[in-house]
Amino acid sequence: MPSPRFTVGYALTAKKTRSFMQPKLESHARSRGITFVALDRNRAITEQGPYDAILHKLTGKEWRQELEDYVQKFPDVTVLDPPAAIQQLRNRQSMLQDVADLKLADCDGQVRVPKQLVVVGDSSCIPNSVAEAGLKLPLVAKPLVADGSAKSHAMALAYDRFGLSSLDTPLVLQEFVNHGGVLFKVYVIGDAIKVVRRYSLPDLGEGDQVSFGVKSFPRVSSAAATAEEADLDPEVAELPPQRLLECLVAELRTRLGLSLFNFDMIREGGAGHCYYVIDINYFPGYGKLPDYELLITDYLVDLARSKGKKLEPEGPDLDFEECPSAS
């Protein structure tokens, strides 16, 4: 007889485990029939389980092979998310291609990607490459590889040829778009969409004093830079239209083949209906998202039901309320 509980084996980095696997999440999940089990990385995962789903954020050929072997042995398992789908987000050259290919219609807005250039050669060639590509200074510089490390989140603004020549390659250069100094982090958990505001780089005005060289920035969209309670201009603070987000997320879920991700979005000029997607991340820092425990549990319950599972909760958890439909 099938188990009345939905078992999720998880394999996360130590840092991700600390931020994501909070007691509040595990308690609420148990109350709704979901059990989390840490995979033993000292044993082959094919010798563990069976699990209804595997939640992971590990990389490398060996890990991908382990997952393939597990799926072959237990074909009914759901892997969140497939390594092949995750891989395209690890390279900023391919990361935004699916967004660039979108042709959204009747979605209450437009979505674009910044004009960008990939440079893998010697940094001395960057100024000429930029000129040939027709990119306008200043340019946002980001590492080509997006592997979740602190280094991969580093960012700089290059103002002139000298600044460009001092950058480390390989990298991606994106044209800077004024956006009111605010970006929107759009979290996706299955069908659920949650948006939070973050402070971003300030706008550059025509009359502003021109900077020189390169200016480095920390991770500007970090949780410490929240703009949720800030006294912002109403136009700047207004969230992207819900219909636009729903259209965009539906397309990205299909094209990327992912269920757990987020993306950074800015509004051109800080107002209007033209938006840019500037970054996409797999399995982001959900621990920074208010009520993520409820959203994750709702998603896993829906997944279990879609697989024909009739869940048997351990009992009510009086500390929680049912999560409303995310919007």
Side-chain angles (χ1 to χ4, degrees):
M1 180 177 295
S3 169
R5 301 189 64 79
F6 190 77
T7 306
V8 180
Y10 66 89
L12 308 172
T13 63
K15 180 180 178 181
K16 180 65 72 174
T17 299
R18 287 193 299 270
S19 66
F20 182 78
M21 294 305 306
Q22 294 290 318
K24 189 176 179 182
L25 169 63
E26 296 191 78
S27 174
H28 186 58
R30 281 197 303 272
S31 76
R32 300 195 56 198
I34 307 293
T35 300
F36 287 102
V37 178
L39 295 179
D40 184 350
R41 299 300 295 122
N42 294 316
R43 296 167 51 206
I45 61 173
T46 51
E47 299 175 1
Q48 303 175 57
Y51 303 108
D52 297 294
I54 291 180
L55 180 68
H56 73 103
K57 194 172 184 180
L58 300 180
T59 59
K61 293 182 179 179
E62 291 184 5
W63 173 245
R64 291 199 296 272
Q65 186 60 55
E66 283 195 71
L67 284 176
E68 289 178 13
D69 292 343
Y70 195 90
V71 171
Q72 186 171 11
K73 183 175 181 179
F74 302 104
D76 291 334
V77 70
T78 299
V79 177
L80 301 170
D81 275 308
I86 298 169
Q87 193 65 22
Q88 64 185 316
L89 298 187
R90 290 173 55 82
N91 184 305
R92 286 195 167 94
Q93 183 172 17
S94 59
M95 175 189 290
L96 300 181
Q97 188 57 53
D98 283 310
V99 182
D101 293 340
L102 290 179
K103 298 291 187 290
L104 299 180
D106 301 321
C107 291
D108 296 340
Q110 296 178 316
V111 178
R112 303 172 180 172
V113 298
K115 190 174 181 181
Q116 68 177 29
L117 172 69
V118 174
V119 182
V120 296
D122 189 271
S123 58
S124 62
C125 73
I126 297 178
N128 288 338
S129 297
V130 167
E132 291 172 2
L135 269 64
K136 298 178 181 178
L137 293 166
L139 295 173
V140 179
K142 302 177 182 179
L144 179 60
V145 176
D147 58 7
S149 66
K151 182 179 179 181
S152 72
H153 289 294
M155 191 174 67
L157 203 57
Y159 294 92
D160 54 28
R161 292 178 60 90
F162 299 104
L164 291 173
S165 298
S166 69
L167 297 171
D168 294 327
T169 59
L171 55 73
V172 170
L173 296 170
Q174 294 179 343
E175 283 193 337
F176 182 83
V177 178
N178 277 345
H179 53 283
V182 170
L183 67 76
F184 305 101
K185 293 197 80 70
V186 183
Y187 291 86
V188 179
I189 304 175
D191 292 327
I193 304 169
K194 194 79 171 179
V195 187
V196 295
R197 301 177 191 86
R198 294 284 187 263
Y199 282 121
S200 182
L201 301 180
D203 284 353
L204 302 174
E206 291 184 8
D208 293 348
Q209 182 177 356
V210 178
S211 297
F212 299 94
V214 173
K215 186 175 182 180
S216 297
F217 294 90
R219 189 174 180 178
V220 297
S221 61
S222 67
T226 180
E228 286 300 293
E229 304 300 327
D231 184 17
L232 298 170
D233 181 293
E235 281 192 313
V236 173
E238 183 181 4
L239 297 178
Q242 183 63 24
R243 172 143 180 83
L244 180 66
L245 293 174
E246 290 172 352
C247 290
L248 178 56
V249 167
E251 285 283 352
L252 288 180
R253 284 192 61 191
T254 299
R255 290 168 178 262
L256 296 174
L258 299 173
S259 296
L260 303 173
F261 63 97
N262 78 351
F263 55 90
D264 293 344
M265 172 183 271
I266 58 175
R267 180 191 288 116
E268 184 176 25
H273 305 285
C274 183
Y275 297 83
Y276 286 79
V277 173
I278 58 175
D279 222 0
I280 308 176
N281 302 285
Y282 166 66
F283 201 153
Y286 288 120
K288 305 169 187 174
L289 183 66
D291 296 329
Y292 85 97
E293 305 94 345
L294 310 182
L295 296 170
I296 290 290
T297 300
D298 279 354
Y299 167 65
L300 293 174
V301 168
D302 288 344
L303 177 62
R305 290 171 177 165
S306 73
K307 294 165 73 75
K309 203 86 166 181
K310 294 184 178 180
L311 299 180
E312 183 178 295
E314 285 189 357
D317 191 329
L318 301 180
D319 293 330
F320 296 91
E321 298 177 358
E322 188 74 12
C323 183
S325 298
S327 60

